[in-house]
């Protein structure tokens, strides 16, 4: 079957393929001989010569059961669980579309790679507990025949969260929930803190919570590579390109509240090829929106949020890119190898990076301090003015630190309640979300991917009930607030 190649604003173009050259030093002579042979053949055959068929090897398939928009860890996790849980091996065709094959601006690779269970919501705690198990047993999930085992370089040093007097009661309440969900977390007084971590200054600290198991940090790039490698072995198709359009069909229906609504279904995705005017239409049954910081743009392509204000049709996906800085510094007299990831009362955080007295950290800005997300340039003054003073107060040794390097990355920030969006859209019935985690998407990706796959294959969440993360809450105004976001 010849694939359709539809250039933007152009008719069908003709691509010619140059014959390959032979090995050795005779390429010029060989090309000349081929040219002569072609001329002789054309002079003998009647009629006009046939046009060479277009080369379509770079295009996605014309049909795919599922199209996943976004090839970061969340999108790859959905693809993995769809293939793992499918009823018949090889029965489901899955396409992952990622516009940046280098992942140079992807949140996955620019993350600090942390994982913890010290959240305020049971669902987030459960997701991270499952992810910790997944990461610790990574080769049971992602092993590929004849490939070396994955080493995520998991460092189980834990998280240490510090609370001031005004936040101590909330911390106690959070730890109670965390323990009920099975997390190994303990509360520490200022005296206990000083005894265990003598390098810390407890001024302004009323209480601390410390993760004793399944917390720390790992290599995000290794997880990304392991998922892509496993998915390739499972038959998942990857495509570098950008989704530019959805072709939908619709029908109108009356709700129980006598409100007329329009239900849409996506049946074709247009994928614009990288560095090209061409796009490929892909017929599909399901679309997964895992586009991270840009997922609201993908939702808008399907008409989400374009209805009258105050209606379900007019409710937008409240996810936007927020820029976050990560700084790396050296401090020869800094905390030792037992140092956990420390989250200060000020919002500043740090952890060790390797074994050579290096550390990395940063702080989320206030709403008034939010930087322009148009680029990933680093504001070094932000460290000097907003981060370093808090670090030096909490760890006096950091007064002499020297910044080595820095980078910026994006949060897929949910402006409504800083929590994930998981599951189907109520009106665009075959678009499913896996986005909006506001900084904890990487660590929760294994559990989120499984949940989305369950919803698609079984019609409901099976292992962890993520109903509070459904899209409907934005229309209803029901926040699922997560309080522990760094």
């Amino acid at each position: 079957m010849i694939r359709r190649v539809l250039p933007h604003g152009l008719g069908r173009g003709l691509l010619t393929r140059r014959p390959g050259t032979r090995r050795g030093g005779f390429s010029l002579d060989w090309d000349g001989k081929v040219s002569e042979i072609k001329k002789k053949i054309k002079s003998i055959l009647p009629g006009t010569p046939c046009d060479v068929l277009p080369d379509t090897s770079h295009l996605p398939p014309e049909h795919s059961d599922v199209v996943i928009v976004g090839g970061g860890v969340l999108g790859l996790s959905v693809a993995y669980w769809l293939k793992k849980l499918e009823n018949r091996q090889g029965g489901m065709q899955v396409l992952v579309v990622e516009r940046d094959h280098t992942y140079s601006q992807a949140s996955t690779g620019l993350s600090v790679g942390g994982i913890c269970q010290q959240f305020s919501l049971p669902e987030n705690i459960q997701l991270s507990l499952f992810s910790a198990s997944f990461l610790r047993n990574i080769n049971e999930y992602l092993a590929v025949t004849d490939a070396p085992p994955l080493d995520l370089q998991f460092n189980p040093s834990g998280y240490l969260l510090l609370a001031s007097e005004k936040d101590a009661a909330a911390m106690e309440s959070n730890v109670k929930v965390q323990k009920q969900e099975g997390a190994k977390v303990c509360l520490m007084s200022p005296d206990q803190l000083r005894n265990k971590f003598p390098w810390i200054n407890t001024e302004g600290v009323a209480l601390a919570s410390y993760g004793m198991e399944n917390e720390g940090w790992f290599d995000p790039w290794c997880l990304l590579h392991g998922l892509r490698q496993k998915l390739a072995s499972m038959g998942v198709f990857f495509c570098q390109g950008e989704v530019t359009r959805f072709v939908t069909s619709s029908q109108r229906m009356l709700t129980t509240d006598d409100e007329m609504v329009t239900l849409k279904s996506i049946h074709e995705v247009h994928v614009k090829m990288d560095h090209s005017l061409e796009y490929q239409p892909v017929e599909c049954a399901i679309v997964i929106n895992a586009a991270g910081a840009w997922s609201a743009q993908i939702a808008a392509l399907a008409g989400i949020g374009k209805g009258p204000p105050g209606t379900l049709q007019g409710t937008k996906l409240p996810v936007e890119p927020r820029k976050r800085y990560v700084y790396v510094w050296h401090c020869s007299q800094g905390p030792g190898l037992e140092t956990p990831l420390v989250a200060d009362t000020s919002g500043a955080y740090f952890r060790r990076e390797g074994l050579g007295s290096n550390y990395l950290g940063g702080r989320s800005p206030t709403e008034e301090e939010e930087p322009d997300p148009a680029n990933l340039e680093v504001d070094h003054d932000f460290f000097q003015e907003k981060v370093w003073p808090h670090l030096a107060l909490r760890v006096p040794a950091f007064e002499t630190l020297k910044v080595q390097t820095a980078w910026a990355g994006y949060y897929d920030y949910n402006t409504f309640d800083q929590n994930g969006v998981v599951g189907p859209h109520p009106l665009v019935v075959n678009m499913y979300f896996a986005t909006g985690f506001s900084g904890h998407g990487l660590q929760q990706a294994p559990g989120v991917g499984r949940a989305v796959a369950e919803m698609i294959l079984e019609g409901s969440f099976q292992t962890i009930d993520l109903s509070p993360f459904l899209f409907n809450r934005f229309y209803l105004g029901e926040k699922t607030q997560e309080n522990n976001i760094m």
Side-chain angles (χ1 to χ4, degrees):
M1 180 183 295
I2 300 176
R3 299 181 182 177
R4 292 172 289 167
V5 182
L6 306 177
H8 285 291
L10 298 175
R12 289 182 182 269
L14 297 177
L15 302 178
T16 57
R17 180 182 293 167
R18 184 184 177 192
T21 58
R22 300 172 71 179
R23 296 184 183 276
F26 304 100
S27 59
L28 291 177
D29 291 340
W30 175 253
D31 286 347
K33 290 178 181 178
V34 169
S35 179
E36 291 178 10
I37 293 170
K38 280 185 172 181
K39 289 179 181 178
K40 289 182 180 180
I41 292 175
K42 287 181 179 180
S43 67
I44 296 172
L45 294 176
T48 57
C50 282
D51 293 320
V52 178
L53 293 176
D55 179 6
T56 60
S57 60
H58 64 294
L59 296 175
E62 287 188 326
H63 310 276
S64 184
D65 298 308
V66 180
V67 174
I68 299 176
V69 186
V73 166
L74 272 167
L76 298 182
S77 177
V78 175
Y80 169 76
W81 286 104
L82 282 172
K83 295 299 291 181
K84 184 174 176 62
L85 299 177
E86 65 182 346
N87 293 327
R88 180 170 60 87
Q89 187 174 0
M92 180 182 297
Q93 186 167 8
V94 178
L95 167 67
V96 177
V97 181
E98 170 57 46
R99 65 180 181 179
D100 178 17
H101 72 285
T102 66
Y103 291 91
S104 61
Q105 295 191 359
S107 299
T108 296
L110 299 173
S111 164
V112 300
I115 179 170
C116 81
Q117 287 83 51
Q118 296 184 59
F119 291 101
S120 60
L121 288 174
E123 294 82 6
N124 282 331
I125 300 166
Q126 293 169 30
L127 283 171
S128 289
L129 281 169
F130 172 72
S131 292
S133 174
F134 184 95
L135 296 176
R136 283 189 171 278
N137 299 284
I138 192 71
N139 287 294
E140 293 181 16
Y141 292 100
L142 302 186
V144 174
T145 304
D146 296 329
L150 297 172
D151 179 10
L152 292 180
Q153 301 178 42
F154 182 69
N155 188 314
S157 294
Y159 268 49
L160 178 65
L161 275 56
L162 308 181
S164 63
E165 190 68 46
K166 72 179 181 66
D167 295 324
M171 175 174 279
E172 281 192 83
S173 177
N174 290 343
V175 169
K176 183 178 179 180
V177 175
Q178 292 154 16
K179 288 182 175 180
Q180 288 173 347
E181 297 299 331
K184 305 296 183 184
V185 183
C186 69
L187 290 170
M188 302 178 72
S189 67
D191 286 341
Q192 291 171 318
L193 265 180
R194 285 190 293 268
N195 288 335
K196 186 168 181 63
F197 305 111
W199 40 263
I200 202 166
N201 172 20
T202 59
E203 178 184 341
V205 176
L207 194 63
S209 61
Y210 177 52
M212 298 179 289
E213 287 184 12
N214 295 322
E215 291 193 346
W217 51 93
F218 62 96
D219 181 359
W221 281 106
C222 184
L223 178 59
L224 181 73
H225 167 73
L227 280 165
R228 284 185 63 94
Q229 178 179 259
K230 181 64 175 180
L231 291 178
S233 74
M234 299 170 91
V236 171
F237 196 99
F238 292 89
C239 168
Q240 181 184 350
E242 183 176 0
V243 171
T244 58
R245 184 188 175 204
F246 296 118
V247 179
T248 63
S249 58
S250 61
Q251 65 179 54
R252 293 172 65 79
M253 66 171 290
L254 199 64
T255 68
T256 54
D257 298 326
D258 292 329
E259 180 185 356
M260 186 63 69
V261 297
T262 301
L263 298 182
K264 286 186 177 181
S265 180
I266 300 168
H267 56 83
E268 191 172 271
V269 179
H270 287 190
V271 181
K272 181 180 176 295
M273 310 316 298
D274 193 40
H275 305 302
S276 171
L277 294 176
E278 297 175 354
Y279 73 84
Q280 170 73 5
V282 182
E283 294 180 359
C284 64
I286 290 170
V287 173
I288 310 296
N289 187 343
W294 298 273
S295 54
Q297 298 174 21
I298 297 300
L301 289 177
I304 294 171
K306 294 190 174 182
T311 66
L312 186 54
Q313 295 98 315
T315 302
K316 298 180 180 181
L317 177 67
V319 176
E320 64 183 31
R322 293 281 182 100
K323 185 162 71 171
R324 296 293 180 263
Y325 307 119
V326 180
Y327 304 90
V328 179
W329 62 88
H330 178 80
C331 182
S332 58
Q333 301 302 315
L337 296 180
E338 82 290 354
T339 305
L341 189 152
V342 178
D344 186 44
T345 57
S346 63
Y349 71 91
F350 73 90
R351 69 163 174 83
R352 279 191 305 105
E353 174 66 0
L355 304 176
S357 298
N358 294 317
Y359 306 83
L360 63 76
R363 182 177 76 83
S364 288
T366 63
E367 286 290 330
E368 295 74 24
E369 297 167 344
E370 281 291 348
D372 183 358
N375 58 61
L376 287 179
E377 294 179 2
V378 175
D379 182 353
H380 292 277
D381 290 338
F382 185 80
F383 181 83
Q384 294 296 327
E385 298 169 6
K386 305 294 184 180
V387 182
W388 179 53
H390 300 294
L391 294 174
L393 174 64
R394 189 60 59 214
V395 182
F398 282 162
E399 289 183 5
T400 60
L401 65 79
K402 287 182 171 54
V403 176
Q404 305 289 319
T405 187
W407 69 84
Y410 290 116
Y411 275 11
D412 53 340
Y413 193 83
N414 177 354
T415 60
F416 183 73
D417 58 14
Q418 294 77 61
N419 234 319
V421 189
V422 182
H425 188 269
L427 297 180
V428 184
V429 294
N430 62 338
M431 174 174 277
Y432 291 73
F433 297 106
T435 187
F437 283 85
S438 308
H440 52 278
L442 172 68
Q443 64 170 294
Q444 295 183 341
V448 172
R450 183 179 64 175
V452 174
E454 290 170 351
M455 179 62 80
I456 292 170
L457 297 173
E458 303 292 339
S460 63
F461 299 121
Q462 301 291 305
T463 48
I464 301 176
D465 183 8
L466 297 185
S467 298
F469 293 173
L470 290 170
F471 183 95
N472 293 14
R473 74 186 194 269
F474 306 134
Y475 168 63
L476 298 173
E478 298 174 352
K479 292 188 175 184
T480 304
Q481 193 74 47
E482 174 54 58
N483 297 322
N484 285 356
I485 298 293
M486 280 191 234

